Amino acid sequence: MSQQLSTKKLAVIGTGVIGNGWIARALANAWDVVAFDPAPDAAERTRAFIDNAWASLEKDGLAEGAAKERLRFVSSLEEAVVGADLIQENVPERLALKQEILAAIDAAADEHVVIGSSTSGFKPTDLQQDCQKAPGRVIVAHPFNPVYLLPLVELVGGEHTTEALLEGAREDYQRLAMRPLIVRREIEGHIADRLMEALWREALHLVNDGVATTEEIDAAVVYGCGLRWSLMGTFLTFHLAGGEQGMRHMLEQFGPALKLPWTKLEAPELTDELIDKVVEGCEYQAAGRPVAELDRRRDDFLVELLALTRKYWPEAEGLEGRI
């Protein structure tokens, strides 16, 4: 985690898994956090979430002054956003609800403050639709679970958003020790989720067609492509597959296979039979372990993996902007 030179305040609206992840990340980076969620047990759930994540955050490295006690819950959205340096909206993924909440945040917040939506699919222009004060500062700021450990956040501006505002937002999220990726134009699902959905569709087809179990498919990713992707991603991995001639040779050699009917362009129908197969497979893999235990196991792994990948990330070799 990065060292913070001055106190910053994050306002979090909606405290589900993603909202709580933002809270934990901000606390670990020595920010003050003010949260609002109308659910009666929201504060209790959030504090339990942070307690479960804190050991991993300590291993990853806390900023000076980081403390769980810097979190405060308030009774209204308007109170939460007053004086905030950054606002993060995390309400359920329903467009009408997000538009309503974002319009209320826009009306209550100082007009220079960036309002990020954690939406995984909606376009920012649609999210800005009902905002009247400063709609351009309402952007997509899409993180990845667990938010408190994974550094990527996709930033997407809408029709009212300027490049200068996006650059300012990049700096805001960098202060939370994140690696912002500004998406060049708005599109449903942004970048990473569209890639993950493609793999998810194929995985469902493989289960549905009886080709593999959920455990076997996960093993194919964990012990194969997933290890390479954690360093190089898709394109550079295929560049190496072309040998000394790189990507050009790879495309000449394997490009025709793209025309073969290997992939399924549409997701399979979620029949009761398919749902049962997927659920039963996942329950077998979980082996009765509660989600909190699986979270801790994942987090312990990610802390060690992050320590390794940081040694190989571009800035470690003076190659900023290239992977």
Side-chain angles (χ1 to χ4, degrees):
M1 295 293 176
S2 65
Q3 299 294 313
Q4 299 302 317
L5 301 178
S6 60
T7 299
K8 293 290 183 179
K9 175 182 172 182
L10 175 69
V12 174
I13 309 300
T15 58
V17 171
I18 299 302
N20 284 337
W22 281 112
I23 291 172
R25 172 172 282 273
L27 295 174
N29 281 277
W31 283 46
D32 292 329
V33 181
V34 180
F36 169 71
D37 190 310
D41 63 341
E44 180 182 355
R45 285 188 291 103
T46 294
R47 297 189 194 282
F49 181 100
I50 293 168
D51 287 342
N52 195 56
W54 203 253
S56 296
L57 288 166
E58 288 178 322
K59 291 176 185 176
D60 196 41
L62 299 175
E64 182 179 353
K68 293 184 280 187
E69 293 72 25
R70 298 181 76 152
L71 167 64
R72 179 168 59 95
F73 268 80
V74 294
S75 58
S76 73
L77 176 154
E78 291 76 14
E79 185 180 358
V81 303
V82 170
D85 295 291
L86 181 64
I87 301 167
Q88 194 70 28
E89 169 272 311
N90 318 277
V91 302
E93 196 80 347
R94 300 196 298 273
L95 181 58
L97 175 62
K98 283 189 177 290
Q99 289 172 330
E100 177 186 351
I101 296 300
L102 288 167
I105 295 172
D106 175 57
D110 295 339
E111 64 182 29
H112 68 280
V113 178
V114 169
I115 303 170
S117 172
S118 295
T119 180
S120 60
F122 297 131
K123 296 194 292 186
T125 293
D126 294 332
L127 298 175
Q128 296 171 354
Q129 179 177 295
D130 297 332
C131 298
Q132 301 297 319
K133 183 190 288 186
R137 47 74 176 270
V138 175
I139 65 171
V140 167
H142 174 231
F144 295 83
N145 188 43
V147 182
Y148 50 88
L149 290 178
L150 294 184
L152 181 64
V153 58
E154 295 177 313
L155 303 182
V156 195
E159 65 177 64
H160 298 290
T161 306
T162 64
E163 290 186 14
L165 187 139
L166 278 177
E167 284 300 324
R170 185 205 298 268
E171 294 176 4
D172 286 335
Y173 287 98
Q174 285 175 334
R175 294 187 183 99
L176 282 168
M178 302 203 81
R179 295 174 68 90
L181 173 63
I182 295 180
V183 179
R184 295 175 182 269
R185 66 182 183 90
E186 55 182 325
I187 185 174
E188 293 90 345
H190 326 313
I191 298 174
D193 267 10
R194 292 179 73 97
L195 296 172
M196 290 189 294
E197 286 293 335
L199 181 60
W200 175 233
R201 284 194 298 272
E202 294 299 319
L204 288 176
H205 276 294
L206 291 171
V207 172
N208 195 50
D209 296 344
V211 175
T213 66
T214 62
E215 183 178 28
E216 290 162 350
I217 293 167
D218 283 354
V221 175
V222 168
Y223 302 114
C225 53
L227 289 171
R228 299 182 303 191
W229 287 342
S230 64
L231 175 65
M232 292 185 174
T234 304
F235 282 100
L236 198 54
T237 292
F238 282 139
H239 178 67
L240 269 61
E244 292 300 323
Q245 298 177 58
M247 178 61 81
R248 186 170 298 280
H249 178 66
M250 197 285 297
L251 290 174
E252 292 171 352
Q253 184 81 2
F254 300 105
L258 295 174
K259 295 292 186 180
L260 297 176
W262 290 355
T263 62
K264 307 284 189 177
L265 297 180
E266 296 182 359
E269 190 70 30
L270 281 177
T271 62
D272 290 343
E273 181 182 6
L274 176 55
I275 290 171
D276 287 344
K277 284 183 179 179
V278 171
V279 171
E280 289 167 9
C282 291
E283 289 176 347
Y284 174 78
Q285 289 177 257
R289 292 169 292 182
V291 169
E293 180 183 337
L294 294 172
D295 280 345
R296 287 191 298 271
R297 180 173 183 267
R298 175 204 62 196
D299 291 355
D300 288 344
F301 171 80
L302 285 175
V303 168
E304 294 187 38
L305 181 62
L306 284 167
L308 176 62
T309 52
R310 286 183 183 120
K311 292 170 56 178
Y312 291 89
W313 276 345
E315 62 268 29
E317 302 177 8
L319 298 172
E320 288 86 352
R322 288 179 280 175
I323 62 172

